[in-house]
Amino acid sequence: MRIIDGDGHIHEDHEGIKRHLPEPFRRMVSALSPGGLGPFPPMDHMHTPFRDTAATLANRGRVGPEEWLEFLDDVGIESTVLYPSLALSYGWMIYPDVTIAVTRAYNDWLHEAYLQRSPRFKGMALIPMQEPDAAVAELQRVVRDLGMCGAMLPATGLKAHLGAREYWPVFEAANALGCSIAIHGGSHNNMGMDHLDHWPTIHALGHPFGQLINFAGIVSNGVLERFPNLRIGFLEGGVSWLLMALERLDSSYGSFSQANPSGRFIQIEEGTKVSDRVKRHIAEGRIFIGCEGDELGLTDVIRHVGSSAFVYSSDFPHEVTNETCKEEIEELMENQALTTRDKENILFRNAERFYQLQPAAVVLK
C-alpha cells in the first residue's frame, strides 16, 4: 500500500539558514554558538540535556536530505511533508523584524536544501504570526513562489489562541490560496506544567494540551465557517484528545451560553451539538489529525468520526527509528477493526487531500 508521511522533521542547518538572512541579522547570528539554537529561541526551560533517550536515537547524529531519502526507501514511504525541529519554538520570538527575517530565511533554506533536492520532499513554511500582515505576505510568497503546501502555526508562544480575531487575515489568505494550515506542538511553557518535574510526563501531556486549546479556540470562534476553503491539521498530539474535546464541548455548550452580539462565536442550532459541526467539517475535508499506527484510541476515534481525518505521521527523526516506524505501519495494517479503505485513508489518501498532493511516480529501492 502507498504511504505518505504527513509529518516528518528536519534538523535545521544554522549556517544554511544564516546565508539567507539579510544584514544586520546575519552578523548577529554569526555571534551565536555554532552548536546552539541558531536564530530560534529555546523550546522551553524543560527541554534540557538531562533527558535520557534510547541509544539508537542518541547515536544517530544529524539527519539531512540524504539520510531522509535513505529512511524513505528503507521504510517504503513515497514522500514526506517536512516540519522544523528547533524552530517549533518560533511562536516565542518577540522581536517583530527578527521574526520576519528569520522565518523567511528558514523557508528559503528549506526550499533550497530539501524541496529542490527531491520531489519526494514537501514543505510547510514558517510565517511570522506575531505580525499577521507580514504572515499573510509570507504565506502568499511560499505557496506561489516556492511551491510549499502551506504553513505551520505554533501551538504555544503567541499572545492569543489561534482562533483569535487578529489571526483571521492569515486564515483568509489560506482560504484564498487553497493551501494547508497545520498546528504543531513542541514547546510546553505556560501550560500549567512549568514545575512538573518528570520529562516523559511533560512530553506526553504538552502536545495534546496545545492542540486542545487551539482546536477549541478555532471551533468556538467559527474560523471554519468564515473560511469555507480552509483546511487545518492538528499534528503530533495523538488522536484521543479529539474525543475528549468533543465530549467536553458538547456537555458545556449544552449547559451554558454566552452573549454574542458581535456574532464572533458559533451558534449551535437547537437539537444539534458541537460534535455534529466538527464531524461535518471532517467529512468535508476541513479538519485533519496527525496519527501514528499504534495509537491505543485510533479505532475508537474512527468509530465516532470516521477515518477521513487521520494522517499517518512518522515524526522521523525525533523519537522514532526505521524499525519502530515499520512496526507502527505493520500494526496498522494488521488492525482487523479497520477496513482497507480506513487504512488507505490514514496511510495516503488523507495526506493527499490535506496537502493537495499529486500521486508521485516514485520507485522505492
Side-chain angles (χ1 to χ4, degrees):
M1 187 177 291
R2 294 174 56 207
I3 304 171
I4 295 174
D5 175 13
D7 180 12
H9 291 269
I10 52 83
H11 283 157
E12 289 86 349
D13 174 4
H14 297 331
E15 289 299 313
I17 295 171
K18 184 177 73 175
R19 285 196 301 271
H20 293 281
L21 278 172
E23 294 293 358
F25 307 111
R26 185 185 305 172
R27 171 176 50 81
M28 294 174 177
V29 172
S30 297
L32 300 176
S33 168
L37 298 168
F40 303 106
M43 195 77 72
D44 50 46
H45 63 285
M46 296 168 282
H47 278 81
T48 76
F50 300 98
R51 298 170 294 138
D52 276 337
T53 57
T56 52
L57 302 182
N59 297 331
R60 173 185 285 151
R62 291 191 59 80
V63 170
E66 297 307 317
E67 290 81 9
W68 248 110
L69 290 171
E70 292 172 4
F71 167 77
L72 296 177
D73 284 338
D74 184 43
V75 179
I77 296 174
E78 179 180 303
S79 59
T80 183
V81 183
L82 295 171
Y83 288 82
S85 291
L86 294 175
L88 291 171
S89 67
Y90 92 98
W92 296 100
M93 299 180 77
I94 59 173
Y95 304 121
D97 291 339
V98 172
T99 305
I100 293 168
V102 167
T103 53
R104 184 183 179 99
Y106 170 89
N107 296 333
D108 288 339
W109 165 77
L110 181 66
H111 178 259
E112 175 185 74
Y114 283 87
L115 275 62
Q116 291 188 319
R117 170 65 179 79
S118 171
R120 298 172 73 180
F121 296 135
K122 315 299 179 182
M124 288 291 276
L126 306 182
I127 57 176
M129 292 294 288
Q130 295 85 340
E131 295 288 315
D133 289 344
V136 168
E138 183 64 1
L139 181 62
Q140 293 169 337
R141 184 183 79 92
V142 297
V143 172
R144 292 171 177 168
D145 298 345
L146 303 186
M148 293 196 181
C149 299
M152 184 206 92
L153 310 187
T156 58
L158 300 177
K159 62 183 179 181
H161 64 83
L162 288 170
R165 186 188 293 271
E166 63 196 274
Y167 305 129
W168 291 358
V170 175
F171 297 129
E172 183 177 14
N175 184 75
L177 291 165
C179 67
S180 311
I181 294 293
I183 299 167
H184 203 295
S187 175
H188 310 311
N189 276 334
N190 295 349
M191 302 180 73
M193 302 186 295
D194 287 356
H195 298 284
L196 190 58
D197 55 1
H198 187 246
W199 168 249
T201 305
I202 296 167
H203 180 269
L205 299 180
H207 285 281
F209 281 7
Q211 300 296 6
L212 278 163
I213 293 166
N214 288 295
F215 176 83
I218 287 168
V219 169
S220 63
N221 280 259
V223 170
L224 291 160
E225 283 75 14
R226 286 183 172 82
F227 308 108
N229 295 320
L230 184 63
R231 302 185 307 279
I232 299 184
F234 299 86
L235 303 181
E236 207 170 315
V239 299
S240 296
W241 65 265
L242 180 62
L243 287 185
M244 174 185 172
L246 297 182
E247 178 182 305
R248 298 296 300 174
L249 290 172
D250 280 348
S251 175
S252 293
Y253 269 77
S255 301
F256 304 100
S257 61
Q258 181 169 323
N260 189 27
S262 66
R264 173 181 300 193
F265 305 113
I266 58 169
Q267 297 292 323
I268 302 301
E269 299 82 4
E270 186 175 352
T272 66
K273 301 177 180 180
V274 176
S275 58
D276 297 327
R277 186 79 62 94
V278 171
K279 289 176 184 178
R280 187 174 76 235
H281 290 318
I282 289 174
E284 293 171 351
R286 314 285 310 288
I287 293 175
F288 293 86
I289 313 290
C291 74
E292 298 169 3
D294 60 348
E295 296 193 39
L296 184 63
L298 182 59
T299 301
D300 286 336
V301 178
I302 288 176
R303 183 163 52 86
H304 282 85
V305 304
S307 64
S308 61
F310 303 102
V311 175
Y312 168 71
S313 306
S314 75
D315 199 37
F316 183 82
H318 288 174
E319 292 90 21
V320 299
T321 65
N322 296 32
E323 295 309 313
T324 60
C325 286
K326 292 176 186 178
E327 291 167 4
E328 290 171 2
I329 293 168
E330 184 68 21
E331 186 168 339
L332 177 66
M333 292 299 297
E334 292 179 351
N335 188 336
Q336 296 183 4
L338 302 180
T339 67
T340 299
R341 183 66 181 198
D342 292 335
K343 297 169 187 177
E344 291 175 349
N345 283 347
I346 295 167
L347 289 176
F348 70 92
R349 293 188 188 278
N350 295 340
E352 284 184 332
R353 290 190 304 126
F354 178 43
Y355 294 112
Q356 296 291 284
L357 303 177
Q358 298 298 320
V362 174
V363 177
L364 300 175
K365 295 178 182 179

